[in-house]
Amino acid sequence: MLVSVTGGTGFVGAHSVAAIVQTGHRVRMLVRDISKVDRALAPFGLGRDDVDAVPGDVTDEASVARAMRGADAVLHAASVYSFDSRLRARMREVNGRGTELVLGAARRAGASKIVHVSSIVAMFPAPGRVIDEGSPVGRPRETYMASKAEAEVIARRHQEEGAPVVITYPPALLGPHDPNLGDQNARLRGVLRGLTPIWPLGGFPVGDVRDTAALHAKVLASPAGGPDRHFGPGRYLSTREYVNVLREVTGRALPTLFLPARGMIPIGLLTDLVQRVWPWHIPAEYGAIYTCACATRVAENAGTSGIAPRPVAETVGDTVRWLYESGRLSARQAGSVRPSLTSVGAQ
């Protein structure tokens, strides 16, 4: 197949491109900056010669149409993922309008399978104790989460119209080889650098980017007519469990104060306002606190296409090791996790 991919130079996108290429398919990437292709794919032994790179943007209708033309399948992974309030306008443009343009162009191009990468947060806050494939779209009170909910409404509308749209819901993803040091890996790094000694109680679903990439490759290769919503492999962790895994993996004490999440929301709202004018990133993000306050578990029988999540300690260990080897953590900050990586790439 020829698979057109948006967001291929991002964290999920790069790992997914590698997984798709490894299954023998051709990949066409819609990218804003062609020079980023080599950097994003190099850890997997790939580069510009192994894919077809089309310059453009998911918010530009003409370039989206060029990227979709002749594609047998489409993976729409482009998204602005951040709780940084300075990115609000771009978030709404890319996550909402970009999804409408890409899914519409993919349908007009005759793609037999269109995979939209959503997020678990698109269904927060959930009305029940767990979420599954049938849960309604949420109405979150945070910009990033609301933008993903808006994109989710668009994707479900295409499904209701009979389009071959499949939706995946990755959890909060960690893992090595993150081209842009995204939100979750940056947060883990912040903990090890001592920048976030205070955490909200609550929790959130955590997974490995390599498992989600494997899910995307498997869904794209599966016959038409199967399930049209899949959860990325992962596990729900309380914030205490998350910090304890970091302690276990690094051998560091990591003193941490845990406070009620809803009690911390006013602090998050204040930093959200300050961040709009403050030039440096503030770790105490409203979105992260709000997520911990309203996150719920994924039902045990929710579909992941048979891909079991790898152990969280393995994911964290590989992530910390990569952060250290890429110069983003000092030896002291990485603790006992400093051997060379034994394996790279998506599985």
Side-chain angles (χ1 to χ4, degrees):
M1 292 191 302
L2 170 61
V3 182
S4 286
V5 178
T6 68
T9 59
F11 189 34
V12 174
H15 279 266
S16 297
V17 165
I20 294 166
V21 170
Q22 287 170 5
T23 59
H25 300 303
R26 293 178 294 137
V27 170
R28 177 190 293 151
M29 297 170 59
L30 174 63
V31 293
R32 286 189 296 159
D33 185 349
I34 297 289
S35 67
K36 290 184 177 181
V37 174
D38 283 332
R39 180 173 66 108
L41 300 184
F44 313 101
L46 302 172
R48 268 183 284 182
D49 293 340
D50 300 292
V51 298
D52 176 21
V54 176
D57 190 286
V58 294
T59 62
D60 175 64
E61 190 170 0
S63 61
V64 169
R66 286 195 300 272
M68 300 300 121
R69 190 174 299 127
D72 300 296
V74 172
L75 176 68
H76 176 44
S79 176
V80 177
Y81 173 29
S82 177
F83 294 133
D84 190 329
S85 58
R86 294 170 294 184
L87 302 176
R88 286 170 180 260
R90 179 66 179 166
M91 224 175 282
R92 293 191 180 100
E93 179 78 357
V94 171
N95 300 357
R97 183 169 182 269
T99 295
E100 186 67 87
L101 289 179
V102 171
L103 300 193
R107 289 182 66 178
R108 289 190 294 274
S112 60
K113 183 162 291 186
I114 306 164
V115 179
H116 167 63
V117 183
S118 184
S119 170
I120 287 178
V121 303
M123 289 181 275
F124 289 171
R129 294 183 177 180
V130 296
I131 56 176
D132 58 21
E133 300 95 324
S135 294
V137 179
R139 295 182 178 179
R141 294 176 295 180
E142 190 280 324
T143 303
Y144 166 72
M145 297 167 73
S147 72
K148 294 303 288 186
E150 177 187 350
E152 178 74 9
V153 170
I154 293 168
R156 291 192 184 193
R157 189 189 75 236
H158 282 281
Q159 286 184 331
E160 291 165 0
E161 293 172 351
V165 172
V166 176
I167 306 174
T168 65
Y169 303 96
L173 293 175
L174 299 171
H177 313 306
D178 186 346
N180 306 304
L181 193 62
D183 191 83
Q184 292 302 327
N185 282 340
R187 185 167 293 111
L188 184 152
R189 177 177 179 247
V191 174
L192 298 181
R193 295 175 67 203
L195 300 179
T196 52
I198 301 175
W199 272 73
L201 290 168
F204 53 100
V206 179
D208 191 300
V209 68
R210 296 166 291 187
D211 295 337
T212 288
L215 171 65
H216 289 153
K218 188 170 184 178
V219 167
L220 284 166
S222 63
D228 58 8
R229 294 176 190 169
H230 301 269
F231 286 87
R235 294 179 176 86
Y236 182 92
L237 294 181
S238 70
T239 52
R240 289 186 186 275
E241 290 171 330
Y242 177 84
V243 174
N244 283 338
V245 171
L246 294 186
R247 289 167 175 159
E248 173 191 341
V249 169
T250 63
R252 295 182 55 198
L254 300 176
T256 307
L257 175 63
F258 294 92
L259 299 175
R262 296 201 177 276
M264 291 182 65
I265 282 180
I267 299 173
L269 288 170
L270 177 60
T271 58
D272 197 55
L273 291 172
V274 174
Q275 185 68 87
R276 298 182 195 185
V277 296
W278 188 254
W280 298 284
H281 178 252
I282 303 173
E285 297 168 312
Y286 166 65
I289 297 170
Y290 180 74
T291 299
C292 291
C294 68
T296 55
R297 299 175 185 271
V298 175
E300 291 185 5
N301 61 347
T304 59
S305 287
I307 299 174
R310 68 190 70 201
V312 177
E314 178 186 336
T315 297
V316 170
D318 286 350
T319 305
V320 174
R321 195 172 294 115
W322 170 75
L323 287 168
Y324 167 71
E325 293 187 342
S326 61
R328 293 175 172 88
L329 287 177
S330 68
R332 181 189 64 80
Q333 291 164 345
S336 57
V337 186
R338 293 196 300 274
S340 296
L341 282 168
T342 57
S343 63
V344 299
Q347 297 185 4

